[in-house]
Amino acid sequence: MLIVQKYGGTSMGSTERIKNVATRVSKSLPNNQLVIVVSAMSGVTDEILNYANDLALLPNERDLDMALSSGEQISAALLSIALNAMGYKAIALNGRQARILTDSNHTKARIQSIDTSYIINLLQQNYIVVVTGFQGLSNEGEITTLGRGGSDLSAVALAGALHADLCEIYSDVDGIYTTDPRIESKAKKIDRISYDEMLELASMGAKVLLNRSVELAKKWNVPIYAKSSFSNDSGTLITTEDNIMEKPIVSGIALDKNQARVSLIGIKDKPGIAAELFSKLSNANINVDMIVQTIGRDSKTNLDFTVPKNELEKAKITLEEFKINADIIDYDDAVAIVSIVGVGMKSHSGVAAKAFEAMANDNINIRMISTSEIKISMLIDLKYAELSVRTLHAAYHLDK
């Protein structure tokens, strides 16, 4: 088998932990070819960012990428040194040497292609190939980084390009849970979950995997096994829906506190007004999630939508010139989105009714609702965020 393994920053946080990773890698060796993707040692990337921000309010992104990429290079080299010291044949490669080609968008580049010929050649020579995560090389020959969650993305992309049999993501979390165990102590680990469900959970705040990685895994049909590097407990397999025999109605509850509501009251109710509004937001790279428009009266209507809380100030600036089209523009960042996710919803009725009834019983007011085939999202007041998670988790018996 060809297996790609990724180890996060906490797994690589000290020489002792690097030795632990090397031992874990060695146990996967018999009859397997291995490509290992590593993150920077925990805290290193933040430390480099702090240095850069101390020197400049807006650091040059080209040079920032050069600095940020050093963390993963250190990790890859140290793990290769540890493996060789144990008597194994290993070699470390940075993004350029691994031939991971990206666009030129520094600090948040996207992978365009991977030339796997060199890695395949090394695997055929029985090397364990250790690759830096989070980075690549632009067509202009510049070092680029992939943004938040970039090492996971590197691992999935390499697994897809190499047609690997499995991509294992090791971190300090031992799998995907029905909800955040820090909020609901009765949360249960999920054995298998579909790409679509994981994508919804990731997009709504579940932090084990970011949605860019899940999107790529689904595109390449790469099975992902998420597990802990600190235990031998089984993890969670993220795979196609067809590989899940018993599909629960609801798989998990996600909570996203990084949300803000924008309300436009008394907008001119005319064709093209919504297109004009959301084009302005799109041009400012502001992501809009939930949208609700009320029925117009007296040639006016109301429009509510949500944006990420960290993009609210940018939204306010963007909407300044739109004020002439609305009587009032109101903002509220004391909100959260709670979502129920499950492929079983497609074949069961009454799922939404149960959620609304459970929320009503706990006096939690729902301010906006958004639905898809496998997700129901509700905007609520922030003060009820964690209560809503426990309420919905109990309503669907996810602790059983």
Side-chain angles (χ1 to χ4, degrees):
M1 287 178 65
L2 172 54
I3 301 173
V4 175
Q5 296 181 343
K6 178 263 175 178
Y7 291 90
T10 52
S11 306
M12 302 290 294
S14 65
T15 53
E16 283 304 311
R17 289 187 176 184
I18 290 172
K19 288 177 183 178
N20 176 62
V21 168
T23 300
R24 187 176 287 275
V25 168
S26 69
K27 291 178 180 178
S28 302
L29 267 180
N31 305 316
N32 292 323
Q33 293 179 310
L34 297 178
V35 175
I36 313 299
V37 176
V38 293
S39 298
M41 298 170 74
S42 56
V44 168
T45 300
D46 287 339
E47 187 176 23
I48 294 170
L49 276 172
N50 289 337
Y51 286 148
N53 290 328
D54 281 345
L55 296 169
L57 184 62
L58 292 172
N60 177 281
E61 290 186 338
R62 183 263 182 196
D63 293 340
L64 185 60
D65 272 355
M66 181 176 286
L68 291 174
S69 64
S70 64
E72 279 71 21
Q73 292 188 55
I74 292 168
S75 288
L78 291 178
L79 179 57
S80 182
I81 288 169
L83 286 165
N84 278 287
M86 292 169 63
Y88 299 102
K89 195 175 176 181
I91 185 171
L93 306 178
N94 62 22
R96 177 185 63 79
Q97 293 165 323
R99 301 174 186 175
I100 299 172
L101 297 179
T102 74
D103 61 22
S104 303
N105 198 5
H106 285 289
T107 72
K108 45 184 177 294
R110 290 188 173 272
I111 296 172
Q112 293 184 327
S113 64
I114 301 177
D115 179 354
T116 58
S117 56
Y118 184 43
I119 293 177
I120 289 172
N121 181 262
L122 291 170
L123 291 171
Q124 289 172 344
Q125 296 178 57
N126 297 318
Y127 277 99
I128 301 170
V129 183
V130 184
V131 180
T132 54
F134 181 61
Q135 64 185 253
L137 190 75
S138 72
N139 289 323
E140 293 77 24
E142 299 284 357
I143 296 171
T144 56
T145 63
L146 307 178
R148 185 165 170 255
S151 292
D152 288 350
L153 198 62
S154 300
V156 173
L158 280 165
L162 289 163
H163 305 289
D165 297 287
L166 184 63
C167 180
E168 298 177 336
I169 304 291
Y170 288 91
S171 66
D172 54 356
V173 180
D174 62 350
I176 313 300
Y177 279 74
T178 50
T179 196
D180 188 337
R182 293 169 298 182
I183 297 175
E184 175 51 88
S185 60
K186 296 178 181 177
K188 300 291 185 183
K189 186 162 58 181
I190 302 169
D191 293 329
R192 290 184 176 222
I193 190 169
S194 72
Y195 294 123
D196 288 335
E197 288 172 306
M198 190 65 234
L199 194 55
E200 294 285 14
L201 289 173
S203 66
M204 295 311 303
K207 295 179 176 61
V208 178
L209 277 173
L210 295 185
N211 52 359
R212 282 176 71 192
S213 301
V214 183
E215 284 173 359
L216 197 60
K218 181 181 178 182
K219 177 182 177 181
W220 284 93
N221 196 23
V222 174
I224 299 176
Y225 196 38
K227 59 188 305 186
S228 171
S229 58
F230 300 107
S231 75
N232 293 316
D233 295 341
S234 60
T236 300
L237 181 66
I238 303 160
T239 183
T240 63
E241 186 179 328
D242 293 339
N243 287 336
I244 301 172
M245 296 293 291
E246 295 183 20
K247 301 179 180 66
I249 298 174
V250 172
S251 296
I253 312 296
L255 178 65
D256 187 359
K257 295 181 180 180
N258 181 35
Q259 291 293 326
R261 179 185 58 81
V262 180
S263 295
L264 287 85
I265 302 167
I267 307 173
K268 296 175 183 177
D269 193 8
K270 62 180 182 180
I273 195 74
E276 180 186 346
L277 168 65
F278 291 114
S279 292
K280 288 181 183 296
L281 294 167
S282 176
N283 291 337
N285 290 318
I286 297 168
N287 293 311
V288 175
D289 187 4
M290 305 174 78
I291 303 172
V292 173
Q293 183 173 1
T294 58
I295 298 172
R297 290 183 179 178
D298 300 324
S299 299
K300 291 189 176 182
T301 186
N302 299 333
L303 184 65
D304 290 66
F305 58 89
T306 60
V307 298
K309 192 177 294 185
N310 54 11
E311 295 179 6
L312 181 59
E313 291 306 314
K314 189 163 57 169
K316 289 180 180 179
I317 294 169
T318 304
L319 292 172
E320 270 298 312
E321 59 189 88
F322 198 79
K323 279 187 174 180
I324 59 171
N325 294 302
D327 295 337
I328 300 171
I329 301 182
D330 183 51
Y331 305 96
D332 185 0
D333 62 1
V335 295
I337 294 179
V338 62
S339 303
I340 58 176
V341 176
V343 292
M345 291 185 195
K346 291 186 287 188
S347 55
H348 288 80
S349 60
V351 179
K354 178 176 283 191
F356 303 152
E357 182 181 352
M359 299 284 269
N361 288 340
D362 276 347
N363 294 315
I364 303 171
N365 188 39
I366 302 170
R367 300 171 64 173
M368 295 172 68
I369 300 167
S370 173
T371 64
S372 72
E373 195 174 33
I374 65 167
K375 181 187 73 173
I376 299 168
S377 294
M378 293 160 279
L379 185 77
I380 58 173
D381 291 335
L382 184 60
K383 63 183 178 181
Y384 296 119
E386 296 191 1
L387 172 61
S388 69
V389 169
R390 291 189 287 269
T391 294
L392 294 169
H393 198 271
Y396 294 101
H397 306 293
L398 296 180
D399 56 333
K400 304 301 181 185

